Amino acid sequence: MKYRYFLLLLVIPIIIFSCKGDNEAPVDEDGIITGLQTKTFSHDNVNRNYLIYIPNSYDPEIDYPLMFLFHGFGGIASEFANTADMRDLAESKNFIVVYPQGLNLPGDSGSHWNCSNPSADNKSNVDDIGFIENLIDQLLIDYPVIDNKRIYAAGYSNGGFMSYYLGCNSKKFAAIGSVAGTMLDDSYQSCDALFPTAMINIHGTDDFDVPYDGNTYYPSIPDVVDWWKNFNNTPNEDLLTNQDGSIEQYKYYNDAGDIYVEHIKIIGGGHYWDDKLNYNGTNTSGLIWGFVSNYDIDGVIN
């Protein structure tokens, strides 16, 4: 099997979870509980857990985009909610955030996302794409304010692999993002994404778990970026950097000037999602949201 489990996020036995005021969460006049909640959804006769954050500024009169954030291999959603924390952004930008929990592999060897069609890349027979698609359908019932044209996915490491898999095989996502992740062979060789599908990739050049230059297991990050450039017909490139040149930002756009692909190259960066990253005043979560929020299922929002 091509996927190397030991490369990714280690589980810390005791998790200290900050809920940012989750206690005594306020209730909207329509019965909507705001703040961070843990919920359960049954799929394939298995109870699947997820965290959902409804902004305390919730207004039933406006539409809300939906942002999925996927933890890495061995990860726990509650911990990832603190690492990739979009709650303040959700308050200021008016969107809903979901942190799903992956299931453990047999033998409790770590949580995972099964982000491949049946192939050598499979980690299990768990139907994670079905779980996420059915969860979306339920969330659209539970929260009618969700804009079904503005659903996004991003993830770290194995969660980034999952985002690519959803972008290729689900028709529900307007844009995707990956941090320290890449495309498995199944996605890279047989991607069936809608045209166009916006993609942002953030990756460190010293990532030894998912190497920037690729290896026998994974395509290189430049090859992945080229795939999405070609798919979205965005051959034109702009290159920007931060003041000390440690971060390079590549933007790829079509002849009409519409950007559909962005790559953030962190010189010397390792295998992590780091919201302490500062690219011209914006951290990793801000870069992800700032990109994906420009799109709906039909393309660039004008």
Side-chain angles (χ1 to χ4, degrees):
M1 185 177 294
K2 296 181 180 179
Y3 197 89
R4 300 175 297 167
Y5 305 126
F6 64 89
L7 296 177
L8 303 178
L9 186 66
L10 296 177
V11 178
I12 300 173
I14 299 176
I15 302 300
I16 299 174
F17 179 32
S18 167
C19 290
K20 283 196 173 179
D22 189 35
N23 296 330
E24 300 181 3
V27 180
D28 175 78
E29 61 183 8
D30 295 326
I32 299 297
I33 299 174
T34 60
L36 190 67
Q37 308 157 64
T38 301
K39 291 194 160 189
T40 301
F41 177 77
S42 180
H43 177 71
D44 281 350
N45 297 315
V46 176
N47 287 333
R48 302 294 302 265
N49 296 325
Y50 65 96
L51 299 178
I52 185 167
Y53 185 77
I54 307 297
N56 293 311
S57 56
Y58 174 82
D59 181 349
E61 300 301 318
I62 64 177
D63 293 333
Y64 284 78
L66 180 61
M67 182 83 227
F68 279 87
L69 293 171
F70 295 92
H71 62 71
F73 180 79
I76 295 176
S78 58
E79 183 183 42
F80 192 55
N82 290 325
T83 300
D85 192 346
M86 288 198 183
R87 285 171 281 182
D88 287 344
L89 277 171
E91 290 289 348
S92 61
K93 303 297 183 181
N94 293 320
F95 64 96
I96 292 170
V97 191
V98 172
Y99 296 89
Q101 177 63 53
L103 292 179
N104 282 356
L105 287 167
D108 291 328
S109 55
S111 61
H112 76 296
W113 298 109
N114 190 28
C115 44
S116 175
N117 291 324
S119 73
D121 288 327
N122 274 94
K123 296 177 289 301
S124 71
N125 61 359
V126 173
D127 178 24
D128 275 327
I129 190 170
F131 162 49
I132 296 302
E133 291 195 321
N134 289 342
L135 176 57
I136 289 171
D137 292 341
Q138 184 61 51
L139 291 173
L140 290 172
I141 295 171
D142 294 343
Y143 304 97
V145 295
I146 291 175
D147 184 346
N148 65 358
K149 285 191 167 188
R150 298 188 67 194
I151 301 175
Y152 311 114
Y156 159 67
S157 197
N158 179 211
F161 296 12
M162 184 65 182
S163 295
Y164 281 122
Y165 182 52
L166 291 169
C168 286
N169 294 281
S170 174
K171 308 308 177 189
K172 295 180 180 291
F173 292 88
I176 61 171
S178 169
V179 178
T182 190
M183 298 172 77
L184 294 176
D185 284 348
D186 173 60
S187 296
Y188 187 69
Q189 301 294 338
S190 306
C191 186
D192 188 29
L194 286 174
F195 181 84
T197 300
M199 187 280 291
I200 180 171
N201 171 287
I202 301 177
H203 215 101
T205 59
D206 286 354
D207 186 334
F208 298 112
D209 295 327
V210 182
Y212 188 88
D213 293 326
N215 56 21
T216 56
Y217 299 97
Y218 310 127
S220 71
I221 298 307
D223 284 346
V224 169
V225 172
D226 282 345
W227 191 97
W228 290 93
K229 282 170 50 184
N230 293 332
F231 175 78
N232 285 303
N233 191 26
T234 53
N236 308 298
E237 175 187 300
D238 282 341
L239 170 59
L240 306 170
T241 64
N242 62 342
Q243 190 170 15
D244 64 7
S246 62
I247 301 175
E248 297 175 353
Q249 180 184 36
Y250 297 83
K251 296 185 177 186
Y252 299 96
Y253 54 96
N254 59 25
D255 290 341
D258 296 327
I259 298 168
Y260 277 102
V261 178
E262 186 170 311
H263 172 45
I264 307 292
K265 180 179 181 180
I266 305 172
I267 310 302
H271 190 71
Y272 47 73
W273 178 310
D274 183 7
D275 268 348
K276 294 180 182 177
L277 174 79
N278 186 336
Y279 177 68
N280 297 331
T282 305
N283 66 11
T284 299
S285 291
L287 288 168
I288 294 286
W289 176 252
F291 177 83
V292 300
S293 59
N294 291 310
Y295 309 91
D296 63 19
I297 204 72
D298 299 317
V300 176
I301 300 172
N302 295 316

